[in-house]
Amino acid sequence: MSGRKNAGRTSPWMLILISLVCFFATYNFLTMPGRGRDGPRKFLGGGGDRDSAVSYWPGSGSDPSKRFHVALTATDALYSQWQSRIMHYWYKEMRARPGSDMGGFTRILHSGKPDGLMDEIPTMVVDPLPEGKDKGYIVLNRPWAFVQWLQKANIDEDYILMAEPDHVFVKPLPNLAHGDEPAAFPFFYIKPTENEKILRKFFPEEKGPVSKIDPIGNSPVIIKKAQLEKIAPTWMNVSLKMKEDQETDKAFGWVLEMYAYAVASALHSVHHSLRKDFMIQPPWDLKSDNTFIIHYTYGCDYSMKGELTYGKIGEWRFDKRSYLQSPPPRNLSLPPPGVPESVVTLVKMVNEATANIPGWEDER
């Protein structure tokens, strides 16, 4: 995960704003002291009224009430930018196809200032956490970014898909939520019942058994906007409290913010429908024919015989971390014979996107 760039100085009003938002919106589940700053600044890709909705390209779903707004959080780091461009390309490709309930799209940019993608991707710029508050854990800015966006944006859709830059839509995505029951992907490494001692610091016994905490993160999740407006401030507060607690920080590490969303949802008595078909994660998932999203968080390393060499750099590889300082070149080499279909499909989709995005290798 890339570090924050150009976060800027924090005025004495930032933490007061955070504290007030959380105090009123989380019903005193948790509190955080602080100072504050003015709210988010909005910039629309391609121009537009600063107070209008960051929304366009309605989906083709037959029921407009089921459409969801696609929202992803991102930074201005090049590593985040190229992933966001590929993700946005495939959103545009899938949004109008039969079976899609995709509505508008917003990249929530929590670097505090515009970047070079403002005219390419619909974007709202929000403030990062105060300097040092994330303690080098950049995704701690995600819940605070959603809090600001939900407060300021005019979102036409009743539902929201929380997505990430390293998501690729492989088919049109319908609304998988059912009314007040959001849809989420279950992560095998999120294990609330095995971490009861730690989670009781944030989910008290009077709230019920820790089995009420879903084994999920915040993404991908399709959820009612009204529900997320209540959960987001709690999610932010729980994230910050978990990061400040040394035992919790050590135990949860890079998935801390995921646990925080799961806890925050449970505190608001929101249960998610668990959809294993929501996404796949190569190289562990071998086929893409029964999913909607490819999440390329893991490196894919293979020998030229098509054998997985995970943990060891392969003779052939695709790993997003190979492109921290520059985007992947166009026309990446395809995997050798024997590599799973999911990996082949991923590389082909990356190649198609980079071939069709204007100025792919230009500095942004």
Side-chain angles (χ1 to χ4, degrees):
M1 185 66 66
S2 303
R4 185 195 319 120
K5 296 174 58 182
N6 301 318
R9 295 182 179 178
T10 305
S11 83
W13 295 103
M14 168 66 90
L15 289 174
I16 289 176
L17 177 60
I18 297 176
S19 184
L20 287 175
V21 168
C22 298
F23 177 81
F24 291 111
T26 64
Y27 308 99
N28 293 319
F29 284 131
L30 298 162
T31 59
M32 61 170 274
R35 297 171 296 176
R37 171 179 175 175
D38 291 339
R41 299 177 298 282
K42 185 190 325 183
F43 300 86
L44 304 185
D49 188 334
R50 292 168 67 90
D51 294 323
S52 64
V54 185
S55 177
Y56 74 163
W57 291 330
S60 62
S62 58
D63 184 356
S65 67
K66 294 182 64 178
R67 290 179 186 158
F68 54 84
H69 196 98
V70 179
L72 74 153
T73 55
T75 74
D76 62 0
L78 190 148
Y79 177 65
S80 177
Q81 287 181 328
W82 69 254
Q83 294 174 52
S84 298
R85 299 179 80 190
I86 292 174
M87 192 272 194
H88 182 242
Y89 173 86
W90 283 108
Y91 156 77
K92 291 190 295 181
E93 288 293 307
M94 298 296 174
R95 61 178 170 79
R97 296 184 184 181
S100 167
D101 286 319
M102 296 174 171
F105 186 104
T106 302
R107 181 182 62 134
I108 308 171
L109 183 63
H110 55 76
S111 298
K113 67 176 185 178
D115 66 0
L117 297 180
M118 306 302 294
D119 291 330
E120 180 178 330
I121 304 176
T123 297
M124 173 178 278
V125 179
V126 298
D127 289 317
L129 289 168
E131 186 69 35
K133 195 69 178 177
D134 64 16
K135 300 183 179 180
Y137 181 51
I138 191 69
V139 294
L140 208 61
N141 286 276
R142 183 176 294 158
W144 172 224
F146 269 106
V147 168
Q148 295 174 82
W149 177 62
L150 289 164
Q151 285 182 327
K152 299 296 181 179
N154 296 318
I155 306 163
D156 294 334
E157 299 84 357
D158 290 333
Y159 291 87
I160 292 168
L161 164 66
M162 291 188 285
E164 297 182 19
D166 59 353
H167 286 176
V168 171
F169 295 106
V170 294
K171 67 174 67 169
L173 179 60
N175 188 339
L176 303 177
H178 298 283
D180 290 333
E181 185 176 56
F185 177 79
F187 290 91
F188 71 90
Y189 48 78
I190 302 298
K191 302 176 179 179
T193 56
E194 294 182 16
N195 291 280
E196 179 169 4
K197 178 177 178 292
I198 291 175
L199 290 173
R200 281 303 184 198
K201 298 180 181 182
F202 314 97
F203 191 76
E205 290 189 8
E206 56 265 29
K207 287 292 180 178
V210 293
S211 58
K212 287 188 173 182
I213 302 172
D214 293 326
I216 61 171
N218 80 290
S219 176
V221 166
I222 298 178
I223 187 171
K224 274 190 172 180
K225 176 175 59 180
Q227 292 175 307
L228 187 56
E229 287 172 339
K230 295 177 180 179
I231 292 171
T234 308
W235 171 27
M236 181 182 71
N237 260 343
V238 174
S239 296
L240 293 169
K241 289 294 184 181
M242 284 184 170
K243 191 64 180 175
E244 292 167 359
D245 184 87
Q246 291 185 359
E247 182 186 19
T248 306
D249 189 23
K250 182 179 179 180
F252 291 163
W254 65 275
V255 298
L256 180 148
E257 169 265 345
M258 297 172 68
Y259 269 103
Y261 175 79
V263 169
S265 299
L267 287 170
H268 286 278
S269 300
V270 173
H271 171 73
H272 298 70
S273 172
L274 304 181
R275 296 291 300 254
K276 290 185 178 181
D277 62 339
F278 211 148
M279 75 177 188
I280 62 169
Q281 302 184 99
W284 310 118
D285 297 304
L286 307 182
K287 294 185 177 181
S288 65
D289 56 350
N290 190 35
T291 194
F292 299 99
I293 294 171
I294 292 179
H295 182 209
Y296 55 99
T297 189
Y298 297 107
C300 299
D301 289 275
Y302 292 88
S303 72
M304 296 311 293
K305 295 180 179 180
E307 299 168 337
L308 180 64
T309 62
Y310 194 78
K312 177 183 177 182
I313 295 177
E315 296 173 280
W316 181 94
R317 77 178 329 222
F318 176 75
D319 188 338
K320 65 179 184 177
R321 295 163 193 83
S322 299
Y323 306 104
L324 294 172
Q325 305 301 326
S326 61
R330 285 173 166 155
N331 197 28
L332 293 168
S333 63
L334 294 179
V339 170
E341 176 272 331
S342 62
V343 179
V344 176
T345 297
L346 169 61
V347 176
K348 286 182 176 179
M349 295 186 78
V350 169
N351 281 345
E352 179 176 335
T354 60
N356 288 283
I357 296 174
W360 171 250
E361 295 178 343
D362 295 348
E363 286 289 333
R364 294 285 165 164

